[in-house]
């Protein structure tokens, strides 16, 4: 079981969490803090501003067609099985959190380094042959950040369209039309057409299937289970679900169209290209990172992730940090002394911090860690599905943009890690196969903390302290230089500010 730092235990209580897989957050359905009747006017990310995904005009609640749907709902509720009742509890009235947890589970499952072939070569996972070997994907931190961004953006845009039609047509929930129908969830002043849950179920299934193709059957089963629960909740009839499914399909297609041309397919490159990047850095600066892992993979992790399409930063140069200290310079030598001192005198607390924030293989990675924090705040502050999707969309766009910026700096500067340049130096946290400057943990965490501080200002001091702890954890572990962490923290904050500029103009505040 994972050990939690004191700051985390004070925030959320003594909660246990598997090191390998996220535990399902235990929460009951709740009354939303606000309904946001004008949510359909918020600015989407993928859908052109001012337009919505078209769906049919709903039947009147007095029509024969609608009354027949009510009869079907009542019959289904009356014959509900114990399994279906448990499913209702699982999905709750905020499935945004539940589908995010599904994504975290899959990231952890696929966060495994592909092994070598018998001849010593290292094959890359191939999306055109997901069975492999090796199986596709390798859900490392850049991949995780991208999967979570596309999932959350699709959910958010889909719900903006759903909210537009909900308050345009104002079809009441089934249990309000027919008092003999009981509601499984707390009563909300949210119209039923189209079903927001159906938007989430279908868009999430499509996005996650594209990101984790070997899980197609599992994800389809979850989608059907979720849709069934919506019908049994007493809030929706079949046509509510059909309209939501239609929105979910369209918005997922928009997201996947963007993903198909964002450059991620080229991020893991050939050894020849990788070597040319290293040599260019050496010619430019006089140094280059060398992979000291054992066994050694011939190519670093996603050398061209820094060229993937950004969400809100205009270009990578706009968020590229300045030159790191040259090896042998006074600043560099001071940091050598600092790292040697940490290694020699590492305290129990420092070791615990390094382990807590490790988020290595078999976990949901640093981006997933911050999504877990966000989910807990969403429930704590009783955010609606729309507000929840907005939170995760901005969180994950900022995290992905921060990661792209970080990887640009890593391979532009190609800075050596401490283990490469300090004689006899050892880490307690492995040897990553990509350059040092800047620290991915620092960049991801600072970007995430700034978004969470914006959405949950009551938690601003806390989340920023967590980001600082995540950054220094990599120095305690011997993975990074101190300037990797401090500069990376600022780089993450800068990345988040581009996303927050967009958030402040979307009409939700």
């Amino acid at each position: 079981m994972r050990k939690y730092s004191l700051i985390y235990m004070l925030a959320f209580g003594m909660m246990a969490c598997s090191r390998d897989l996220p535990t399902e957050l235990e929460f009951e359905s709740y009354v939303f803090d606000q309904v946001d009747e004008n949510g359909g006017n918020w600015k989407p990310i993928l859908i052109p501003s001012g337009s919505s995904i078209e769906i049919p005009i709903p039947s009147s609640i007095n029509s024969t067609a609608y009354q027949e749907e009510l009869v079907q709902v009542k019959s289904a509720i009356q014959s509900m099985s114990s399994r279906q009742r448990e499913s209702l509890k699982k999905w709750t009235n905020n499935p945004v959190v539940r589908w995010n947890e599904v994504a975290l589970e899959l990231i952890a499952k696929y966060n495994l380094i592909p092994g070598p072939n018998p001849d010593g070569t290292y094959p890359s996972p191939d999306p055109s042959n997901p069975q492999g070997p090796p199986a596709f994907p390798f859900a490392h931190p850049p991949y995780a950040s991208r999967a979570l961004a596309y999932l959350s953006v699709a959910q958010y845009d889909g719900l903006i369209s759903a909210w537009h039609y909900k308050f345009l047509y104002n079809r009441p929930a089934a249990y309000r039309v027919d008092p003999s129908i009981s509601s499984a969830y707390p009563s909300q002043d949210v119209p039923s057409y189209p079903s927001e849950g159906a938007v989430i179920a279908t868009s999430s299934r499509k996005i996650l299937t594209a990101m984790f193709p070997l899980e197609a059957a599992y994800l389809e089963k979850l989608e059907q289970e979720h849709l069934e629960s919506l019908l049994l909740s007493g809030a929706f009839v079949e046509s509510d679900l059909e309209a939501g499914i239609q929105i979910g399909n369209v918005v997922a297609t928009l997201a996947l169209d963007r993903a198909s041309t964002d450059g991620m397919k080229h991020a893991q490159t050939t050894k020849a290209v990788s070597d040319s990047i290293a040599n260019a850095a050496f010619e430019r600066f006089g140094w280059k990172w060398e992979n000291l892992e054992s066994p050694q993979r011939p190519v670093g992790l996603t050398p061209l992730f820094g060229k993937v399409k950004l969400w809100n930063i205009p270009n990578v140069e706009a968020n590229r940090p300045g030159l790191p200290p040259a090896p042998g310079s006074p600043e560099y030598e001071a940091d050598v002394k600092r790292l040697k001192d940490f290694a020699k005198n590492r305290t129990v607390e420092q070791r615990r911090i390094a382990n807590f924030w490790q988020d290595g293989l078999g976990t949901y990675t640093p981006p997933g860690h911050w999504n877990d924090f966000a989910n807990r705040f969403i429930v704590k502050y009783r955010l609606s599905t729309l507000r929840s999707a907005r939170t995760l969309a901005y969180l994950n766009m900022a995290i992905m943009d921060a990661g792209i910026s970080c990887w640009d700096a890593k391979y532009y500067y190609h800075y050596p890690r401490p283990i490469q340049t300090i004689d006899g130096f050892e880490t307690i946290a492995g040897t990553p196969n990509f350059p040092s400057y800047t620290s991915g943990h620092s960049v991801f965490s600072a970007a995430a903390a700034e978004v969470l501080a914006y959405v949950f200002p009551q938690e601003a001091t806390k989340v920023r302290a967590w980001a600082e702890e995540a950054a220094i954890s990599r120095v305690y572990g011997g993975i990074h230089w101190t300037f990797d962490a401090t500069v990376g923290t600022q780089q993450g904050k800068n990345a988040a500010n581009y996303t927050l500029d967009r958030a402040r103009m979307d009409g939700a505040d």
Side-chain angles (χ1 to χ4, degrees), residues 322-508:
L323 193 69
S329 67
E331 186 178 356
Y332 168 87
E333 293 298 341
D335 219 50
V336 169
K337 184 177 183 298
R338 188 176 296 115
L339 265 64
K340 284 182 175 179
D341 183 65
F342 282 142
K344 183 179 179 180
N345 303 298
R346 191 176 289 114
T347 67
V348 172
E349 173 67 4
Q350 289 169 346
R351 186 177 292 272
R352 183 162 58 84
I353 288 171
N355 289 336
F356 172 70
W357 291 103
Q358 174 74 344
D359 291 327
L361 298 174
T363 73
Y364 43 45
T365 78
H369 205 151
W370 285 93
N371 274 255
D372 180 56
F373 290 154
N375 287 335
R376 296 175 190 277
F377 287 137
I378 284 168
V379 173
K380 178 179 178 179
Y381 292 101
R382 299 183 293 114
L383 267 58
S384 68
T385 51
L386 178 61
R387 287 271 169 184
S388 300
R390 178 178 184 263
T391 298
L392 292 173
Y394 287 118
L395 175 76
N396 288 309
M397 282 193 294
I399 287 175
M400 183 176 169
D401 275 5
I404 292 169
S405 299
C406 177
W407 252 250
D408 164 71
K410 283 183 180 295
Y411 284 96
Y412 179 76
Y413 291 114
H414 230 276
Y415 201 77
R417 287 185 179 268
I419 196 173
Q420 181 181 335
T421 60
I422 304 176
D423 289 341
F425 191 75
E426 295 181 357
T427 78
I428 62 168
T431 307
N433 73 320
F434 41 90
S436 190
Y437 181 82
T438 52
S439 156
H441 275 61
S442 306
V443 178
F444 286 130
S445 298
E450 290 307 302
V451 174
L452 292 181
Y454 160 73
V455 178
F456 306 104
Q458 313 93 316
E459 309 288 353
T461 300
K462 186 183 301 176
V463 295
R464 286 173 175 145
W466 290 348
E468 294 286 347
E469 186 179 272
I472 197 64
S473 76
R474 307 304 278 169
V475 182
Y476 292 158
I479 295 291
H480 277 288
W481 305 98
T482 304
F483 45 81
D484 292 343
T486 55
V487 177
T489 296
Q490 188 58 54
Q491 187 181 25
K493 291 178 180 179
N494 293 345
N497 284 335
Y498 286 98
T499 294
L500 293 178
D501 285 345
R502 181 173 194 160
R504 295 184 182 101
M505 299 295 291
D506 72 354

Side-chain angles (χ1 to χ4, degrees), residues 154-198:
Q155 291 176 339
Y156 181 47
D157 273 23
L159 290 188
I160 291 175
S161 270
W163 246 249
H164 167 76
Y165 289 115
K166 280 179 177 294
F167 291 94
L168 174 65
Y169 296 125
N170 275 300
R171 179 195 265 185
Y175 63 82
R176 290 186 182 274
V177 177
D178 187 337
S180 70
I181 296 176
S182 60
S183 173
Y185 305 138
S187 178
Q188 315 275 353
D189 292 325
V190 180
S192 69
Y193 184 88
S195 163
E196 65 271 30

Side-chain angles (χ1 to χ4, degrees), residues 269-284 414:
T269 189
T270 64
K271 186 176 186 303
V273 172
S274 180
D275 288 347
S276 71
I277 293 171
N279 292 334
F282 187 79
E283 291 178 9
R284 197 181 294 126
H414 230 276

